[in-house]
């Protein structure tokens, strides 16, 4: 059974957006803590980057697991558990001083907690409760909520770090993450029964096996790997890039905020366009445009305004890949196991994220800058644009075009 009244649908969408706003804010501001953590612990950029890279991987690895639980038992218990893990991991971070300690707090606990309140669970839970014609818009709106969190929290966290210290800032993030518990109330209850495309009685295991043999699904994974590489590298190392250019830390916080602000428009646009055009074309265009934007950044003089313009342009494409990717998974396999199947694509995204965060730290240590990471980013973005082209996708239905 789907949610049909506008009020019920908006309550569901707004709650999911607010949850993602908080969990993404906690995840996407971790790069602002890299330098303070290095100063406090003396572990070195590479060691701390590795812990954050493990966090990127765990955020992705947790989502198909939590997605499967949400598909069976409902999203609310998963989100509540995630809030506890996220808050606990962040609150414990200031009290550890070894790489193993950071691996547990930032790499496992907080990252898994953020994963339990992230895209696959939230978009899956809402898509199962909404009629088909509203799903693309809902996924774009929820995605915009995560971007709004980045826009609001990045400069706020940097302000707290500068005025009260990084420990107070991280504890404030931990406390804020607990707000996702009451916000999960509209997502209570088991998901309504949904059929699976072509096979109404497929089990989860059979559906996953069939999906992993599907060329279109694997192409989505390959493209999303690049997206994760790109985003994790920037989230983790943009503050370091700004520092290398001799600019103050506030520039990186403002740039991260601008990425979130402009991705609100990008996410909403992606959700709307996915109802009118083939989603694979949207993905190919998005990835290709990133290569152009990064190349333009490398050629530009490195001033504060260069970073702001770069952030605005990149922000429009930042997480605009999520609505069409989730939409394609739903088109290919139906809604019943969307949280699990989309969670698996997010695992590929975060495997890329692991390498983006980790190799960025290694590049800085070995070469003294991030030049080779930018070149790799351009090459991977172009490859991702190409790999999405063979995906099989029917044209949008006339009803969707008229909507």
């Amino acid at each position: 059974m789907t949610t049909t009244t506008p009020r019920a649908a908006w309550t569901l969408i707004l709650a999911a957006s607010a949850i993602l706003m908080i969990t993404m804010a906690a995840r996407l501001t971790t790069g602002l803590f890299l330098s303070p953590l290095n100063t406090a612990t003396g572990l070195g950029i590479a060691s701390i980057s590795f812990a954050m890279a493990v966090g990127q991987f765990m955020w992705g690895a947790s989502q198909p697991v939590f997605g499967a639980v949400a598909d069976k038992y409902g999203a609310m218990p998963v989100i509540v558990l995630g809030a506890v893990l996220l808050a606990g991991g962040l609150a414990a971070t200031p009290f550890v001083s070894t790489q193993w300690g950071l691996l547990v707090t930032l790499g496992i606990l907080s990252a898994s907690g953020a994963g339990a309140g992230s895209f696959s669970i939230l978009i899956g839970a809402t898509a199962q409760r909404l009629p088909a014609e509203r799903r693309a818009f809902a996924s774009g709106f929820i995605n915009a909520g995560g971007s709004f969190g980045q826009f609001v929290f990045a400069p706020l966290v940097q302000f707290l770090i500068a005025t009260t210290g990084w420990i107070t800032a991280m504890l404030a993030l931990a406390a804020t993450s607990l707000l996702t518990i009451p916000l999960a109330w509209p997502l209570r209850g088991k998901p309504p029964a949904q059929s699976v495309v072509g096979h109404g009685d497929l089990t989860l295991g059979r559906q996953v096996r069939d999906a992993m043999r599907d060329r279109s699904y694997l192409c989505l994974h390959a493209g999303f790997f690049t997206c994760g590489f790109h985003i994790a590298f920037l989230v983790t190392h943009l503050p370091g890039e700004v520092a290398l250019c001799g600019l103050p830390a506030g520039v990186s916080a403002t740039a991260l905020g601008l990425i979130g602000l402009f991705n609100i428009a990008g996410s909403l646009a992606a959700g709307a366009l996915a109802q009118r055009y083939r989603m694979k074309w949207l993905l190919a265009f998005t990835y290709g445009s990133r290569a152009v934007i990064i190349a333009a950044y490398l050629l530009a003089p490195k001033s504060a305004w260069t970073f702001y313009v770069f952030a605005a342009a990149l922000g429009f494409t930042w997480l605009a890949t999520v609505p069409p990717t989730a939409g394609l998974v739903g088109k290919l396999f139906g809604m019943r196991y969307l949280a699990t199947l989309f969670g698996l694509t997010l695992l590929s995204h975060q495997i890329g994220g692991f390498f983006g965060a980790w190799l960025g730290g290694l590049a800085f240590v070995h070469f003294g800058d991030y030049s080779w990471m930018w070149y790799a980013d351009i090459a991977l973005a172009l490859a991702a644009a190409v790999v999405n082209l063979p995906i099989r996708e029917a044209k949008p239905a006339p009803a969707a075009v008229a909507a």
Side-chain angles (χ1 to χ4, degrees), residues 41-329:
T41 64
L43 292 173
I45 297 295
S47 295
I48 299 172
S49 296
F50 181 75
M52 291 183 174
V54 170
Q56 294 287 342
F57 174 77
M58 287 301 300
W59 182 80
S62 66
Q63 289 197 55
V65 176
F66 285 129
V69 176
D71 280 335
K72 186 171 184 179
Y73 298 107
M76 184 174 179
V78 170
I79 294 168
V80 171
L81 174 61
V84 174
L85 291 174
L86 177 56
L90 291 173
T93 298
F95 302 100
V96 300
S97 58
T98 65
Q99 186 181 38
W100 279 107
L102 289 179
L103 284 171
V104 172
T105 58
L106 288 180
I108 298 175
L109 292 178
S110 63
S112 297
S118 197
F119 297 110
S120 60
I121 286 81
L122 297 171
I123 291 178
T126 53
Q128 290 168 345
R129 291 167 169 81
L130 293 174
E133 65 272 13
R134 306 184 75 168
R135 289 169 186 158
F137 169 79
S139 65
F141 194 95
I142 293 167
N143 196 36
S147 300
F148 185 72
Q150 183 178 349
F151 166 66
V152 171
F153 279 84
L156 179 59
V157 168
Q158 182 59 50
F159 174 78
L160 288 175
I161 292 173
T163 57
T164 65
W166 73 272
I167 294 177
T168 300
M170 188 159 281
L171 292 177
L173 271 181
T176 303
S177 66
L178 294 174
L179 294 176
T180 60
I181 294 176
L183 289 169
W185 181 252
L187 296 167
R188 66 192 181 278
K190 292 184 179 181
Q194 298 276 351
S195 62
V196 179
V197 172
H199 300 279
D201 58 347
L202 268 186
T203 63
L204 173 60
R206 172 69 184 279
Q207 181 66 89
V208 171
R209 288 193 296 272
D210 287 350
M212 296 306 296
R213 291 193 290 264
D214 188 290
R215 186 185 69 173
S216 295
Y217 187 60
L218 296 178
C219 287
L220 279 176
H221 279 249
F224 231 29
F225 172 93
T226 292
C227 184
F229 181 96
H230 173 81
I231 287 176
F233 164 60
L234 277 172
V235 166
T236 307
H237 297 289
L238 184 62
E241 175 78 0
V242 169
L244 284 175
C245 297
L247 299 170
V251 173
S252 60
T254 301
L256 288 173
L258 286 171
I259 288 172
L261 177 64
F262 278 83
N263 193 56
I264 296 172
S267 296
L268 293 174
L273 292 172
Q275 299 178 87
R276 293 168 170 78
Y277 303 101
R278 289 185 178 178
M279 299 179 195
K280 69 176 185 178
W281 299 121
L282 297 178
L283 288 171
F285 176 80
T286 300
Y287 290 127
S289 66
R290 287 183 183 177
V292 175
I293 292 167
I294 295 169
Y297 161 75
L298 292 178
L299 295 173
K302 301 304 181 285
S303 66
W305 277 104
T306 295
F307 280 100
Y308 298 153
V309 173
F310 172 63
L314 194 67
F316 196 80
T317 75
W318 186 248
L319 290 172
T321 56
V322 172
T325 300
L328 277 171
V329 175

